[in-house]
Amino acid sequence: MAAYEANFDGLVGPTHNYAGLSFGNVASTGNQNAVASPRQAARQGLAKMKALHDAGFKQGVLAPHERPSVASLRLLGFAGSDAEVIARAAKEAPAILAACCSASTMWTANAATVSPGADTADGRVHFTPANLNNKFHRSIEHPTTGRILKAMFADESRFAHHPALPAQMHFGDEGAANHTRFCHEYDQPGVEFFVFGQAAFDHRYPKPARFPARQTLEASQAIARLHGLKDSQVVYAQQDPDTIDLGVFHNDVISVGNRNVLFHHQKSFLQQAEVLAELDRKLAALGGHFVAIEVPEAEVSVEEAVKSYLFNSQLLSKSDGKLIIVVPEESRNIPRVWTYLDKLVNSGGPIDEVRVFDLKQSMQNGGGPACLRLRVALSDAELAAVNPAVLMSDALFATLNGWVDKHYRDRLTGEDLADPQLLVECRTALDELTQILKLGSVYPFQLA
């Protein structure tokens, strides 16, 4: 194969905690104030990365961010030394401090939207960091995310980096969690599938009533323009608002795709039949054959899909052309979901293997296997141009596990976020990590 789909997983940060910050994400709000284990969370994520690397898949690491974000607290009027800023925020605005301590950068499906060179006008891989405008704790991520991506994909002849879209509700962008690409081979032109929750300027589109729609049509269209995509290779679809109101805050909670296969729920999209027909037609025009696997509500309800994160899974293409589905342990613990998965892999269809991972620390905050990874389709030459220090190996796995054991706490509560030593621990850890991953100066405390 001349090209690959590489997965770059977010390394869980030292401040991983359960503050219940993500309204619309049932798991996040439901586990508010639970005791977290940053060390265990990071180890669980690394174990998945290493297992997929060992299975022959291209696997990389995305670094966490500095937290608490003292720079963000200072912008909000908290002054003094770093310790004084944290102490004052803890006393006057503990909810803001919690937001500035979030380790949400671990969910790198929201880091950016990526278009491979086979699709773009200039033949380069394009990256646009997500502005994540819907949630304050995530909206502060994109400047550092952009610097980290540039340190990983530095060759300007092969990689193009755009700034995030305007940080305004009309252009709310949640990154690859609402973006999928279909193709025959990774190095051939494909169809890029953008899913949005609402239209900001066109009021003909319905909106959810209970939970926010985080991705706008206008944001998706802007990214397609920035990346130089052809209209004939783009499909836009609206997520079902009623499904959003059941806790499907991103499209990757109700569908997942890879190569020519879309695995999705019966209630994923508005005008679903028309959406699937357009994907089929546009991929066929490129010489591909689109396959949709639709899970009936009668077999797995939306509520069961949200609880199990059946669709927040990874579809990975094996050397024999078949697909493996990577699911969290929670999918095995819900009988109807596990029964469906057993039926799926024995159906003779393209998905013929299921692999289960324990990602409980991430799952309790509302992020499954798909949330933890950013997919980047790369040719051999592009892969060779990626910063090699971020690519998983036996040595990097051992080094990062040792780094986690050295710097991470085993237990973290909401009260611990007020401890100024936590910032010192995070900065010390990240300073060492930049050397391990050869990232240079990408963090605010290094740039000051």
Side-chain angles (χ1 to χ4, degrees):
M1 186 182 295
Y4 315 89
E5 181 188 74
N7 286 277
F8 292 84
D9 280 38
L11 182 57
V12 180
T15 61
H16 164 66
N17 70 95
Y18 299 121
L21 299 172
S22 190
F23 179 66
N25 181 329
V26 176
S28 171
T29 55
N31 289 294
Q32 186 174 6
N33 298 323
V35 177
S37 175
R39 185 181 302 162
Q40 184 182 29
R43 278 187 159 273
Q44 287 175 348
L46 282 167
K48 179 174 83 75
M49 294 185 229
K50 180 60 161 54
L52 297 182
H53 163 75
D54 289 347
F57 299 105
K58 304 300 180 184
Q59 180 67 58
V61 180
L62 262 165
H65 291 197
E66 175 193 354
R67 294 292 182 268
S69 175
V70 177
S72 297
L73 291 171
R74 291 187 184 279
L75 287 174
L76 297 174
F78 299 101
S81 67
D82 290 342
E84 289 168 341
V85 166
I86 293 169
R88 185 177 173 189
K91 180 180 179 181
E92 299 178 15
I96 293 177
L97 176 61
C100 289
C101 288
S102 174
S104 54
T105 61
M106 64 198 280
W107 298 303
T108 56
N110 303 120
T113 302
V114 186
S115 295
D119 295 353
T120 62
D122 64 5
R124 294 187 294 171
V125 182
H126 283 243
F127 297 82
T128 298
N131 62 26
L132 297 165
N133 192 63
N134 189 261
K135 298 287 182 287
F136 168 67
H137 69 285
R138 304 225 60 181
S139 70
I140 62 179
E141 295 176 10
H142 66 83
T144 300
T145 296
R147 290 192 294 271
I148 291 173
L149 288 172
K150 286 180 181 179
M152 295 168 61
F153 304 92
D155 185 344
E156 294 183 0
S157 69
R158 300 187 185 279
F159 307 117
H161 296 272
H162 304 276
L165 297 180
Q168 208 278 337
M169 63 178 291
H170 292 81
F171 297 99
D173 174 29
E174 301 281 319
N178 295 308
H179 174 261
T180 303
R181 178 179 185 260
F182 299 101
C183 61
H184 179 62
E185 298 289 352
Y186 294 122
D187 61 343
Q188 296 177 0
V191 176
E192 301 206 17
F193 184 42
F194 293 87
V195 180
F196 61 95
Q198 67 174 341
F201 293 103
D202 191 335
H203 300 296
R204 293 174 298 174
Y205 291 88
K207 298 179 180 180
R210 181 185 180 194
F211 292 138
R214 304 185 187 187
Q215 182 84 25
T216 68
L217 170 62
E218 292 80 0
S220 298
Q221 292 170 330
I223 291 170
R225 286 191 294 269
L226 286 168
H227 291 193
L229 305 181
K230 297 178 180 178
D231 290 343
S232 60
Q233 293 174 230
V234 174
V235 173
Y236 302 101
Q238 184 171 12
Q239 197 169 338
D240 188 329
D242 292 337
T243 302
I244 293 176
D245 280 338
L246 291 174
V248 180
F249 55 98
H250 288 139
N251 178 62
D252 67 2
V253 182
I254 204 65
S255 77
V256 60
N258 192 0
R259 294 284 284 273
N260 66 323
V261 176
L262 174 65
F263 178 57
H264 68 100
H265 194 271
Q266 181 182 349
K267 296 185 176 181
S268 294
F269 316 110
L270 285 181
Q271 299 179 322
Q272 189 147 290
E274 291 85 347
V275 169
L276 299 178
E278 185 178 2
L279 287 167
D280 181 50
R281 183 175 66 255
K282 289 188 172 179
L283 188 58
L286 298 173
H289 172 62
F290 180 68
V291 177
I293 302 174
E294 183 170 293
V295 180
E297 170 78 7
E299 294 190 51
V300 177
S301 67
V302 172
E303 291 86 350
E304 288 170 319
V306 171
K307 188 174 181 180
S308 66
Y309 268 32
L310 168 63
F311 297 97
N312 196 253
S313 52
Q314 291 178 252
L315 285 183
L316 301 171
S317 181
K318 299 187 291 185
S319 59
D320 64 359
K322 293 287 189 175
L323 297 172
I324 178 174
I325 185 168
V326 174
V327 299
E329 184 69 39
E330 284 75 4
S331 289
R332 183 155 55 190
N333 296 335
I334 297 178
R336 277 172 32 105
V337 171
W338 191 245
T339 297
Y340 180 83
L341 281 169
D342 182 65
K343 172 185 171 182
L344 176 70
V345 299
N346 289 293
S347 66
I351 304 173
D352 71 347
E353 183 181 351
V354 61
R355 186 149 185 184
V356 181
F357 285 91
D358 178 6
L359 299 167
K360 184 177 180 181
Q361 287 290 318
S362 177
M363 285 288 292
Q364 288 186 160
N365 237 343
C371 288
L372 287 164
R373 60 93 173 94
L374 179 68
R375 297 182 288 181
V376 185
L378 297 166
S379 68
D380 283 320
E382 290 161 349
L383 183 61
V386 175
N387 174 355
V390 304
L391 299 177
M392 183 53 65
S393 65
D394 293 351
L396 182 59
F397 178 70
T399 298
L400 290 179
N401 272 289
W403 174 82
V404 166
D405 289 344
K406 176 182 177 182
H407 294 289
Y408 281 45
R409 299 187 185 189
D410 189 52
R411 185 179 187 277
L412 197 68
T413 67
E415 290 76 17
D416 295 326
L417 302 181
D419 180 4
Q421 183 60 29
L422 187 61
L423 174 63
V424 175
E425 293 170 10
C426 185
R427 285 179 171 174
T428 301
L430 294 182
D431 198 51
E432 183 177 327
L433 185 65
T434 57
Q435 299 174 52
I436 295 171
L437 300 181
K438 295 181 170 50
L439 297 176
S441 297
V442 295
Y443 296 112
F445 73 91
Q446 297 174 304
L447 301 173

